[in-house]
Amino acid sequence: MVSVSGIRGRVGDPLTPELVCGAAAAFGAFLRGEGASGPVVLGRDSRTSGPMLCAAAIAGLQSVGVDVIDVGIVPTPTVLLAVGHHHAAGGIAITASHNPAEWNALKLVTGEGMFLDADASLRYRRFLREDDPPRAAWNALGGLSSDDEAIDRHLEAILALDILDVEAIRAAALPVALDCVRGAGGLVVPRLLEALGCTVTAIHTEADGHFPRDPEPTAEHLAELGEVVRASGAVVGLAVDPDVDRLSLVDETGAAVGEDLTLALAVDTVLRRTRGPVVTNLSTSRVVADAAAAHDVPMVLAPVGEINVARRMQAEGAVIGGEGNGGVILPALHHTRDAPVAVALILQHLVDTGEALAGAVARWPTYHIVKTKVAFDRSALDAAYAALSDDLDADVEDRTDGLRLGWNERRAWLHVRPSGTEPIVRLIAEAPDEKAAQALVDRAGSILDGVA
């Protein structure tokens, strides 16, 4: 699958070394055609297919005369920071993020240290489809070097952030539990926690790609971490995905809290220290808006997708943003989701409030999100949106990414949007109680059935 999110698939069928080599060669040539110069930074998560696909990507880049800097097994945000450090033309992160172990992918990065946006992705896909990248002669092939200090620089940059009171966090000596799911997080998050003076009880820190559970850090996958939290007396449990751009939380009772709370607590932490807009996507919980409202700053909604949020953050001058899947973006460091930064902000929040996680979460309203998906003919989407708008009589309507309807007094919303990767339509609703959210999804589904 080739999309704005990169190139991904199951390893071996269809994601082969040959495909990766060709895609990397095309990306190197594409960057040159866009006027970029310099090397391309390459990093990966811990998946067992990583070494093979990295070798293929290196060969492809070298074949078009592009130098490669290999940063090894690192978080995806570390790759993006390394692009800036090396003044590189771009970067490639070989990772399928939260997908199961049989998947892998190429996430493509520009010289800005950000993922390709919709326009650049479209140009690259057109180049990939229509052009044969010019290959370098034997004496003009790209070189290969390694950078073993990318994680060190990432950690140093986090610890140097003005937004953090590092000494106060260290003085608190917080007991924390950690689950790195045998991804790249095992190489960075324990080091960060130790630098912040935490007492750490960790599981699955071996960065070998043999994921012991579904690697997506959603509530249903965090039971083992909950047991570790209870057994160790931790004030918070931290779970990251394999490429360390998402953070989920477990409270001191062992209960997982919704991924949206990661962003809401991070937003509150930042806004206690600096004022400015907050940006998140159209499918993020209202609790993030509550955090922004508590500090009387605007919150702006962007289309779903990390790069869409990041671009809107740049345009708005946002001081923090991200997505409700546990992805926190702090522009003071860079414009990409960064779980290590999120970890530091959550610890700062606990120090600020003087509470363990359950107490910190209890300060905010509770919402329930219901999600489902339906098969639907995309050619009928405009008619479906009109029918939904007419029937549901919302206070607020947004059509920048499908259709999002909001009801202010009911504190509820419904988002209907086509999937970017499947021939289905996603229905997402939130309300203060689960029955109300389910009723919105059910009603929307009935209306779509009537249009189809």
Side-chain angles (χ1 to χ4, degrees), residues 1-2 6-24 45 47 49-50 52-54 56-57 92-97 99-107 124 128:
M1 289 181 256
V2 184
I7 300 169
R8 65 191 179 103
R10 288 183 173 85
V11 175
D13 184 16
L15 195 68
T16 63
E18 294 86 352
L19 185 152
V20 168
C21 184
D45 69 16
R47 292 166 193 268
S49 59
M52 173 183 73
L53 299 183
C54 271
I92 298 177
I94 296 184
T95 172
S97 192
N99 284 58
E102 65 269 22
W103 286 77
N104 217 326
L106 278 69
K107 292 186 176 181
Y124 168 67
L128 183 65

Side-chain angles (χ1 to χ4, degrees), residues 382-401:
D382 286 342
Y385 296 155
L388 287 163
S389 179
D390 290 343
D391 184 89
L392 293 173
D393 190 27
D395 300 319
V396 181
E397 182 173 312
D398 188 312
R399 295 204 184 195
T400 57
D401 180 12

Side-chain angles (χ1 to χ4, degrees), residues 394-442:
D395 300 319
V396 181
E397 182 173 312
D398 188 312
R399 295 204 184 195
T400 57
D401 180 12
L403 174 69
R404 188 184 191 274
L405 302 173
W407 295 268
N408 296 329
E409 187 172 335
R410 293 160 58 186
R411 300 180 66 80
W413 54 266
L414 168 74
H415 192 193
V416 180
R417 62 182 294 271
S419 168
T421 57
E422 302 175 76
I424 54 99
V425 169
R426 301 189 187 279
L427 309 177
I428 307 170
E430 181 182 63
D433 67 89
E434 189 171 3
K435 286 184 179 179
Q438 186 66 57
L440 276 173
V441 166
D442 291 344

Side-chain angles (χ1 to χ4, degrees), residues 296-315:
D296 195 27
V297 302
M299 194 189 79
V300 180
L301 297 178
V304 172
E306 176 181 351
I307 187 60
N308 297 324
V309 173
R311 286 293 190 211
R312 190 61 182 271
M313 290 177 70
Q314 289 179 314

Side-chain angles (χ1 to χ4, degrees), residues 286-357:
R286 186 174 177 132
V287 71
V288 179
D290 292 334
H295 295 275
D296 195 27
V297 302
M299 194 189 79
V300 180
L301 297 178
V304 172
E306 176 181 351
I307 187 60
N308 297 324
V309 173
R311 286 293 190 211
R312 190 61 182 271
M313 290 177 70
Q314 289 179 314
E316 299 289 338
V319 296
I320 188 169
E323 298 186 291
N325 57 11
V328 174
I329 301 174
L330 185 68
L333 184 61
H334 57 171
H335 280 90
T336 192
R337 297 182 309 192
D338 190 313
V341 163
V343 166
L345 291 174
I346 294 301
L347 297 180
Q348 183 69 66
H349 189 83
L350 299 181
V351 171
D352 288 347
T353 60
E355 297 177 300
L357 184 65

Side-chain angles (χ1 to χ4, degrees), residues 3-335:
S3 70
V4 69
S5 300
I7 300 169
R8 65 191 179 103
R10 288 183 173 85
V11 175
D13 184 16
L15 195 68
T16 63
E18 294 86 352
L19 185 152
V20 168
C21 184
F27 185 58
F30 168 77
L31 290 174
R32 291 288 186 265
E34 293 273 299
S37 60
V40 167
V41 172
L42 181 73
R44 66 179 181 91
D45 69 16
S46 65
R47 292 166 193 268
T48 59
S49 59
M52 173 183 73
L53 299 183
C54 271
I58 290 168
L61 291 165
Q62 289 180 306
S63 76
V64 293
V66 172
D67 293 335
V68 180
I69 300 175
D70 184 0
V71 295
I73 300 176
V74 298
T76 292
T78 306
V79 175
L80 276 68
L81 282 172
V83 168
H85 174 79
H86 290 288
H87 305 288
I92 298 177
I94 296 184
T95 172
S97 192
H98 61 271
N99 284 58
E102 65 269 22
W103 286 77
N104 217 326
L106 278 69
K107 292 186 176 181
L108 306 176
V109 183
T110 70
E112 290 181 272
M114 297 173 67
F115 295 115
L116 270 64
D117 59 24
D119 291 340
S121 176
L122 183 62
R123 294 195 301 273
Y124 168 67
R125 282 179 277 165
R126 185 181 299 119
F127 184 93
L128 183 65
R129 183 174 60 250
E130 299 176 358
D131 291 83
D132 184 21
R135 306 289 174 164
W138 67 271
N139 57 352
L141 298 172
L144 175 63
S145 60
S146 61
D147 171 10
D148 299 326
E149 298 178 350
I151 287 177
D152 295 339
R153 293 193 304 270
H154 191 172
L155 290 173
E156 290 167 3
I158 293 171
L159 294 171
L161 288 167
D162 291 338
I163 210 84
L164 298 176
D165 187 343
V166 171
E167 292 308 315
I169 299 173
R170 287 172 176 161
L174 299 172
V176 303
L178 172 67
D179 179 0
C180 293
V181 76
R182 292 181 176 256
L187 302 177
V188 59
V189 183
R191 292 179 57 190
L192 175 62
L193 293 173
E194 290 163 7
L196 290 171
C198 297
T199 301
V200 184
T201 305
I203 56 175
H204 309 312
T205 57
E206 307 88 345
D208 60 14
H210 294 283
F211 306 145
R213 57 166 174 78
D214 188 309
E216 186 167 18
T218 51
E220 60 268 28
H221 303 144
L222 302 182
E224 185 181 8
L225 178 59
E227 294 173 3
V228 174
V229 168
R230 289 190 295 270
S232 66
V235 296
V236 63
L238 309 166
V240 296
D241 63 340
D243 76 327
V244 211
D245 63 357
R246 290 171 55 179
L247 172 69
S248 292
L249 306 174
V250 170
D251 72 21
E252 67 272 22
T253 72
V257 303
E259 301 101 294
D260 294 275
L261 267 300
T262 302
L263 180 57
L265 298 183
V267 165
D268 184 62
T269 303
V270 170
L271 294 180
R272 286 169 182 261
R273 292 158 172 78
T274 186
R275 293 179 57 80
V278 177
V279 177
T280 188
N281 72 36
L282 288 157
S283 289
T284 294
S285 171
R286 186 174 177 132
V287 71
V288 179
D290 292 334
H295 295 275
D296 195 27
V297 302
M299 194 189 79
V300 180
L301 297 178
V304 172
E306 176 181 351
I307 187 60
N308 297 324
V309 173
R311 286 293 190 211
R312 190 61 182 271
M313 290 177 70
Q314 289 179 314
E316 299 289 338
V319 296
I320 188 169
E323 298 186 291
N325 57 11
V328 174
I329 301 174
L330 185 68
L333 184 61
H334 57 171
H335 280 90

